[in-house]
Amino acid sequence: MAHKLVIVESPAKARTIGGYLGSGYVVESSIGHIRDLPNNAADTPAKIKDKPWGRLAIDVDNGFEPYYVVPRDKKSHISKLKQLLKDADELYLATDEDREGEAIAWHLLDELKPKGIPVHRMVFHEITKAAIQEAAANPRELDMDLVEAQETRRILDRLYGYEVSPVLWRKVMSGLSAGRVQSVATRLVVDREKERMAFKVASYWDLEGTFDAGSKHDQRMFPAKLHSIDGTRVASGSNFGQDGQLKAKADVVHLDKRRAEDLVAALADTSYDVRSVEAKPYRRSPYAPFRTTTLQQEASRKLGMSASVTMSVAQRLYENGFITYMRTDSTTLSGNAIAAARAQVQELYGAEYLPDAPRTYASKVKNAQEAHEAIRPAGDSFRTPAQTGLTGDQFRLYELIWMRTVASQMKDAVGQSVTIRLGGAAGTGEDVVFSASGRVITFHGFLKAYVEGTDDNAAKDDQETRLPNLQEGDPVSAASLSANGHETKPPARYTEATLIKELEDREIGRPSTYASIIGTILNRGYVYKKGTALVPAWIAFSVVRLLTEHFTRLIDYDFTALMETVLDDIARGEKDRVSELSEFYYGSERLAGLQRLVTELGDIDAKELATFPVLDDDGAESGIDLRVGKYGPYLEGPDDGSGTRVRANVPDDLPPDELTVEKAKELLANPAGEEIDLGVHPETGLQVVAKNGRFGPYVTEVLPEDAPKGAKARTGSLFKSMSLDTVTLDDAVKLISLPRIVGVGEDGEEITAQNGRYGPYLKKGTDSRSLTSEDQIFGITLDEALKIYSQPKQRGRAAAAPPLKELGNDPVSGQPVVVKAGRFGEYVTDGEYNATLRKDDSVESITIERAAELLAERRAKGPAKKAAKKGAKKTAAKKTTAKKSAAKKAPAKKAAAKKS
DNA sequence: CAGTGAGCGAGCTTCCGCTTGACTT
């Protein structure tokens, strides 16, 4: 039977809308984007792989034409949609009405290719029966200008990310990344840390007292603070700047301890009178209903949920029909929602809390796309939290959303704020004024339902301080007075919630990505969490420095906002996508293009980039440098002219702003870190210790201070079977005795056994042979050693690697194909060509057909040996780097994955 | 960053935004 096919983005939405449209309609979802640029080489179609721009999947030479693919996990879904389309007599593309939604609609059209049936673009902002039916009755055309704007955004992000990231691989560390959003987020965290490092603590003092209004007042005692001396204000926290120091223009008295205490003494006999009473009406309007970022902030402040936890809990609430869509930048409530909230206000708080007219909230977000409603309880009447039957996190998050929504339709809170000034004369003749402020809320309004949390210790909106009802001229006495010292505090580190807020304020990122932005910069190792604070790692300093020095425009805080302006122009048909992308990539008279920036890297000095002088409190250089190395951050002591500088590791979890000159000196004084005393060597009498070094744990002798120049401490790596915790003095004595002389060969040359870079081995002159186990170093006899030397050298190597699996014969070469485990992972070989298994292959699942495919691909590239010989040295060096950094990265990723 | 020798298959990392399940731990 023929039907009309409606495609929306979200499955949950499809279910709801299906119910509103009734029979005759089939509502399905696209589940987000259905096509994208290929993610990596494995997903890149063969026909563009070999193009110079194949890696980008954007033909930068021909109008920046993008090459889209349907990701593997979406293929079956696309077939399902195609199947549904076969029996459809009309197609409604009902994706979200924003830039991305318009593009999804176009991708659907382009991929499904409906033949001979009408296609409509249907849009709605509310999911109510009336709104959906009206939308279906009044469809529009696809807005191709808006699609162009989306493609421009997508292409620009790809060019930025996939061109700049490789620069970081070459200059900083393999596997790193750069992007329009993550790099700015990282920069924010790094810049904040730099502010903290430049911060110098200042102290200031003030006076606080408890005053007595006399027995005729109900509220007799009240607190007040010193306000001014002889008409000049006393310095308080707000007079100090971001650097911690008194602002240059501050016309204030800066009290120190002595002056403050002297003043307390001079005020011992002072009586006061009320100089002024200033009352102002206090009025506070409700907060707007939740959008993604405000929900994430409040869930963090009140429920202690991370952004990603908040989103997944909200997702479950959404899927089960408890709340509206949770990825939104809109604070707008539908008419039904306003009515539901108002009904609930009436019911729970009474008519006096209900404003005469419904409240509406305009979006504060500058680049808001408003495709959805605010986040609120779902339905035309709200369920109270108790009525939902929810538990745990879902209950608590629902309650938060429900309260916020209901409160948004309540009356303002009103009251009075009062400032009272008290004056008196000090014994020294100075005129002093104290100030007391109070707030009384006479009608709580929405505050009765919902009070927003605060990030620092700022007063909450419902906080009250009552003052006595004093009049000008009334006498007041001081019950107690004290001098209090304060210190200026550095700007606080970002938390997930405050960083997200900052990004939103700067129009960077979208509701669907805020939580994952945090994930990205954590996973790359740019930042780590210390409690809830985001602390930048030193490698982030290197990356931000490279980007600010060489890609200044791209990491500018305004880059995204400027891009949005251009995209809006494209969406209105006023600018052309190709010329904008061309300017971005190839440059113009006024701008350097990205392509030139990433190819002309000669002046990027990787070493300099990774070096940060450790500065003292006055910002002067100490001669000590922090450097970001392959093994993490380390310190280099001052150059004393000896040619070598003392080095020391910096603990991974030492926040950059805690690396003072004193701390650096302390670390340099004990460069090796912890060492374990094993005792005294029975023969030499020297102390023997175990340490962790560059190549892992090892033992070494401690040479006496009067040891002759040039004397070297003997060392030895621990065997793999040993560990720092369990190694004994006996083990150590044996290890440092190496190499062991096994005997003399037939040619008169000495054969020794030892441990090295590639494991245990025998050495005879320049001829070396691997051993299979570390125990052989001590156990092997001369006869066995001679036997090994009697065999040709190749043998030990080949014998060590039996194939993991035999697959049969290759159809092309006819040779047997086997799977082997190699240095770079598992690979298949037919004896001549080797091909590494790809991400989706495994030893268990691989077939001869797949192996033949891999070998055919490999064969197409020609023999490897010639290529390998070219610039062999350079390649070898690079390989080592890549391998080490990969090895280093793996555990970090695992740890991150475990947490989440 | 302790200091010791070879020779073995390269291939891939990465962006931002839109959506959920299908995975494993």
Side-chain angles (χ1 to χ4, degrees), chain A residues 694-762:
Chain A
R694 183 158 55 133
F695 310 120
Y698 68 104
V699 291
T700 181
E701 295 173 316
V702 183
L703 291 181
E705 294 208 353
D706 56 1
K709 256 198 170 175
K712 272 194 171 175
R714 294 183 297 167
T715 64
S717 279
L718 262 58
F719 284 180
K720 293 199 174 63
S721 57
M722 303 173 181
S723 87
L724 274 182
D725 305 328
T726 58
V727 69
T728 63
L729 180 62
D730 280 353
D731 294 332
V733 168
K734 281 165 92 179
L735 288 173
I736 58 179
S737 73
L738 293 175
R740 165 178 161 251
I741 298 165
V742 179
V744 178
E746 288 120 350
D747 50 5
E749 259 207 278
E750 201 170 67
I751 300 175
T752 57
Q754 58 227 284
N755 218 353
R757 170 89 175 80
Y758 310 106
Y761 68 105
L762 293 172

Side-chain angles (χ1 to χ4, degrees), chain A residues 418-439:
Chain A
V418 179
T419 305
I420 297 176
R421 295 272 155 79
L422 313 166
T428 50
E430 288 163 308
D431 180 68
V432 298
V433 172
F434 282 80
S435 177
S437 30
R439 180 157 85 199

Side-chain angles (χ1 to χ4, degrees), chain A residues 599-827:
Chain A
T599 46
E600 293 175 10
L601 297 174
D603 55 337
I604 298 184
D605 181 344
K607 186 177 165 186
E608 194 201 322
L609 205 64
T611 305
F612 300 89
V614 178
L615 304 178
D616 66 17
D617 282 351
D618 299 318
E621 291 199 16
S622 60
I624 302 174
D625 287 328
L626 180 130
R627 300 193 48 197
V628 186
K630 273 178 216 154
Y631 313 104
Y634 63 97
L635 291 166
E636 244 180 12
D639 191 350
D640 58 3
S642 69
T644 55
R645 296 171 68 180
V646 184
R647 291 174 170 180
N649 280 328
V650 176
D652 285 335
D653 57 352
L654 181 74
D657 76 332
E658 288 177 30
L659 185 71
T660 57
V661 175
E662 294 70 42
K663 183 74 187 172
K665 283 181 177 161
E666 189 188 316
L667 289 165
L668 285 169
N670 185 17
E674 228 169 299
E675 51 183 55
I676 298 160
D677 191 351
L678 296 174
V680 176
H681 195 288
E683 285 159 26
T684 64
L686 293 173
Q687 200 74 30
V688 180
V689 296
K691 292 186 194 179
N692 237 328
R694 183 158 55 133
F695 310 120
Y698 68 104
V699 291
T700 181
E701 295 173 316
V702 183
L703 291 181
E705 294 208 353
D706 56 1
K709 256 198 170 175
K712 272 194 171 175
R714 294 183 297 167
T715 64
S717 279
L718 262 58
F719 284 180
K720 293 199 174 63
S721 57
M722 303 173 181
S723 87
L724 274 182
D725 305 328
T726 58
V727 69
T728 63
L729 180 62
D730 280 353
D731 294 332
V733 168
K734 281 165 92 179
L735 288 173
I736 58 179
S737 73
L738 293 175
R740 165 178 161 251
I741 298 165
V742 179
V744 178
E746 288 120 350
D747 50 5
E749 259 207 278
E750 201 170 67
I751 300 175
T752 57
Q754 58 227 284
N755 218 353
R757 170 89 175 80
Y758 310 106
Y761 68 105
L762 293 172
K763 189 176 174 183
K764 185 173 74 165
T766 56
D767 191 6
S768 69
R769 301 294 167 87
S770 285
L771 292 173
T772 50
S773 100
E774 284 168 328
D775 292 334
Q776 288 181 306
I777 296 175
F778 294 119
I780 197 165
T781 62
L782 180 58
D783 280 349
E784 286 165 338
L786 288 174
K787 202 171 164 193
I788 289 173
Y789 273 106
S790 71
Q791 315 262 359
K793 190 166 180 163
Q794 308 284 7
R795 182 129 179 217
R797 206 169 62 220
L804 297 171
K805 195 177 178 186
E806 292 171 12
L807 295 173
N809 288 357
D810 183 80
V812 178
S813 64
Q815 295 299 311
V817 178
V818 295
V819 188
K820 288 186 169 184
R823 199 164 44 122
F824 306 118
E826 289 135 0
Y827 64 103

Side-chain angles (χ1 to χ4, degrees), chain A residues 529-600:
Chain A
K529 286 177 90 166
K530 196 183 166 200
T532 57
L534 297 172
V535 186
W538 282 102
I539 199 157
F541 282 68
S542 286
V543 167
V544 168
R545 178 188 279 179
L546 186 152
L547 295 177
T548 42
E549 286 179 7
H550 299 277
F551 298 90
T552 317
R553 188 166 59 95
L554 298 192
I555 200 176
D556 193 283
Y557 286 128
D558 289 334
F559 180 80
T560 294
L562 292 170
M563 178 196 78
E564 289 288 345
T565 313
V566 172
L567 295 183
D568 286 347
D569 291 344
I570 293 173
R572 282 196 304 271
E574 291 166 11
K575 269 189 176 152
D576 169 54
R577 137 189 173 180
V578 176
S579 54
E580 292 302 319
L581 285 170
S582 182
E583 183 178 44
F584 175 72
Y585 196 65
Y586 291 116
S588 64
E589 295 90 34
R590 56 187 191 95
L591 291 175
L594 177 62
Q595 196 204 31
R596 188 163 66 78
L597 292 177
V598 299
T599 46
E600 293 175 10

Side-chain angles (χ1 to χ4, degrees), chain A residues 52 62 70 134 210 292 323 366 373 493 561-562 570 598 635 678 735 756 769 814 836 849:
Chain A
N62 289 295
V70 176
E134 196 195 315
T210 303
T292 302
I323 61 168
K366 279 171 275 181
E373 269 194 75
R493 290 203 180 90
L562 292 170
I570 293 173
V598 299
L635 291 166
L678 296 174
L735 288 173
R769 301 294 167 87
T836 306
E849 288 78 22

Side-chain angles (χ1 to χ4, degrees), chain A residues 414-538:
Chain A
V414 294
Q416 266 197 336
S417 56
V418 179
T419 305
I420 297 176
R421 295 272 155 79
L422 313 166
T428 50
E430 288 163 308
D431 180 68
V432 298
V433 172
F434 282 80
S435 177
S437 30
R439 180 157 85 199
V440 177
I441 297 172
T442 51
F443 177 71
H444 274 78
F446 77 95
L447 290 175
K448 197 145 182 168
Y450 189 96
V451 182
E452 194 164 78
T454 59
D455 289 318
D456 31 43
N457 290 322
K460 290 193 173 177
D461 287 332
D462 64 342
Q463 186 172 310
E464 289 188 89
T465 316
R466 290 185 179 274
L467 295 180
N469 188 18
L470 288 164
Q471 309 298 318
E472 206 173 308
D474 284 354
V476 170
S477 63
S480 69
L481 267 187
S482 64
N484 298 310
H486 307 275
E487 282 190 340
T488 52
K489 289 209 180 78
R493 290 203 180 90
Y494 287 107
T495 62
E496 284 193 14
T498 59
L499 182 60
I500 287 171
K501 181 180 190 311
E502 186 76 41
L503 290 170
E504 185 188 45
D505 288 347
R506 295 176 184 275
E507 303 179 63
I508 299 166
R510 303 281 313 139
S512 64
T513 61
Y514 290 123
S516 59
I517 294 164
I518 306 284
T520 301
I521 62 177
L522 285 170
N523 278 337
R524 294 282 168 276
Y526 291 148
V527 304
Y528 59 94
K529 286 177 90 166
K530 196 183 166 200
T532 57
L534 297 172
V535 186
W538 282 102

